[in-house]
Amino acid sequence: MLSVLLLSHLFTAAFAAQPSAPAPVEAPLRELPWGQLNFLQTTDVHGWFAGHLQEPSYSADWGDYISFAKHLRDRADADGKDLLLIDTGDRIEGNGLTDASDPKAIYTYDIVKEQDIDFICSGNHELYKTSSSEGELNFTVPNFKDKYLASNLDIFNPKTGNFEPLARRYKKLTTKNQGIRVLVFGFLYDFTGNSNNTIVHTVEDTIKQDWFQYAIRDEEVDLILVAGHVAIRSKEYDAIYKAIRSVQYDTPLQFFGGHTHIRDFKRYDDKTTALESGRYMETIGFLSISGLNGHSKSEDVSASKGLTFSRRYIDNNLFSLRHHSGTDQDTFTTSAGSKTSALIHEARKNLTLDTRYGCAPQDYWVNRAPYPSVLPGQFKQSHRAAKGHPALVITNTGAMRFDVFKGPFTRDTTFLISPFTSQFSYLRDVPYKKAKKLLQLLNNEGPIVVDKALSASVSGSLHRLMPELPEIESGDDDNDKTIVVTPLRKHKPYGQVPLGDKKPELIPGYTTKDDAGDDGDDTLHSEIKFYNVPPCIQASIGLGDSDSETLTDKEPQAVDVVYNEFLESWILLALEYLDEKRSKDDIALYMNGTLTDIITGWVSDNWAHDGDDCP
Ligand SMILES: *[C@@H]1O[C@H](CO)[C@@H](O)[C@H](O)[C@H]1NC(C)=O
Ligand SMILES: *[C@@H]1O[C@H](CO)[C@@H](O)[C@H](O)[C@H]1NC(C)=O
Ligand SMILES: *[C@@H]1O[C@H](CO)[C@@H](O)[C@H](O)[C@H]1NC(C)=O
Ligand SMILES: *[C@@H]1O[C@H](CO)[C@@H](O)[C@H](O)[C@H]1NC(C)=O
């Protein structure tokens, strides 16, 4: 049932998808529920503008999204309906296309801007580094002008020497065909890990400000939109919802959210819903609203129908995109789309993302080998291990963000599996009796507790391969420190699985359940099983329990506790709990290199290389 539409066409005519992208796979589809006002949403793209080059379900690229949106806009115009596009942030970090350049993301500003996005805002990942937020100030904001919204975000402008709103706080517009008056905000959740050149005002403070209170009292609006890098089930959106509803008791209200990387749809009340459209260019969210008051001169489609909201999660591949746009292989790709696909291809080439380090002999999932064996293998090269000091190495499973698929392990792969730049530190000579209790203390709910924000709310989708960075809550409740858990992880590889007799052959993938039921996904998929994994995993060096270690017959007195820098606060906290208080002065670098460098080193040493066959 493979539709091999793609390849022959690629090099001759228009550039659609990336040349190495797998052909899309045919699957049963649900139609898009068009309405009076329609939206397409992307969120948490994290640099995946080239699409997924090893997964057919998500193999369309940003250029294809441009072609797709153009066809849908044309259809909206022809039908007298409206279509608006939204991106809710975290466009960068997590893919070689954004992370392999210095400064990061320089190739992507020109790629993103080719899409005609109506509302765009910043995520937390745009703000970790000064250079990234300055990239927003220097490029994305000028590229999108008044379409960029920053309701609670200020930036230090080097030109004026002042902190200023990154973009406008809100805007109002009237839709082109239906004449619907829309008031729009663009929020970021209460993020605190930003570099010092930005200020994120808490949502709670922001909604008290005069400009916000003034804006929400506008009576000349038919719809209020809140687009934000905010989970749709969050205290931030609850607060905004209450603030707006307290002054506009029945104006239709629509939230678009992000950050938690899931497909989800929430109903707040009869006139308010929220959509979150996944992650990594796997999903293009579609939402429609009908029954709004329009002010178009020509026709009034709102009529007497009640207000309705409908959603669909589109798998981002050419099979779906062509189907929903009523096009085929000859008519799908627009010149703007093709130009952008070519731009992405060239950027990937310039960044040498296809350089191969090895060939993965099979699929590996984040919660399995090879990670546990990689760490001791490479860490033996550290100066401490070389001198015979035994060690326990602890890393958070959240540092491994993505699966490794059978086939080429390239420079691009290194950015996908672990984009974090933290290195490994150690505390020397920790009593072994205490050190060996650390892992359990970090992984079990106890005095060091799992982050509520991140472990909660996985309804709607189980696709949480990539948790967000943990942030220590700086609350005053002393024992209640929190660590991230990655609750559910993909277990099965991607691929077609024969099901029982007579059923259509479904491809494993998203099977979303949300407040509107289980019919949200455009593509009918078979379910993927997920397993819980602990937040942290451990490997040992010189303790005899991993392969090719010399067996020591008795326990050592003391070991080095080696950990991903990321976990430092929790390690110190856990040791303190074990009566082994250590200060930051005791901490030293264990080995040069990030987790990514370490895994890449291991792959080069252990897996087949260039020149060898690598299907
Ligand atoms: C942004 O522009 C300022 C000058 O206005 C410059 O100092 C800064 O380096 C630029 N940053 C980036 C990431 O382009
Ligand atoms: C941020 O911190 C650095 C280092 O402490 C300092 O040099 C810089 O001026 C600060 N930037 C702003 C905008 O305050
Ligand atoms: C790639 O590099 C070439 C040569 O340096 C340059 O002309 C081109 O603009 C670069 N492409 C992109 C997408 O930046
Ligand atoms: C890291 O590399 C630097 C520079 O090569 C070297 O001086 C240092 O000793 C290395 N540190 C460790 C812990 O290996």
Side-chain angles (χ1 to χ4, degrees), residues 269-284:
D269 64 34
D270 284 353
K271 296 190 169 180
T272 309
T273 70
L275 183 76
E276 181 171 340
S277 301
R279 58 165 202 184
Y280 299 170
M281 279 290 281
E282 291 171 353
T283 304
I284 297 170

Side-chain angles (χ1 to χ4, degrees), residues 107 342-344 346-350:
Y107 285 94
L343 196 61
I344 294 167
E346 198 184 316
R348 285 181 49 81
K349 240 173 38 190
N350 282 16

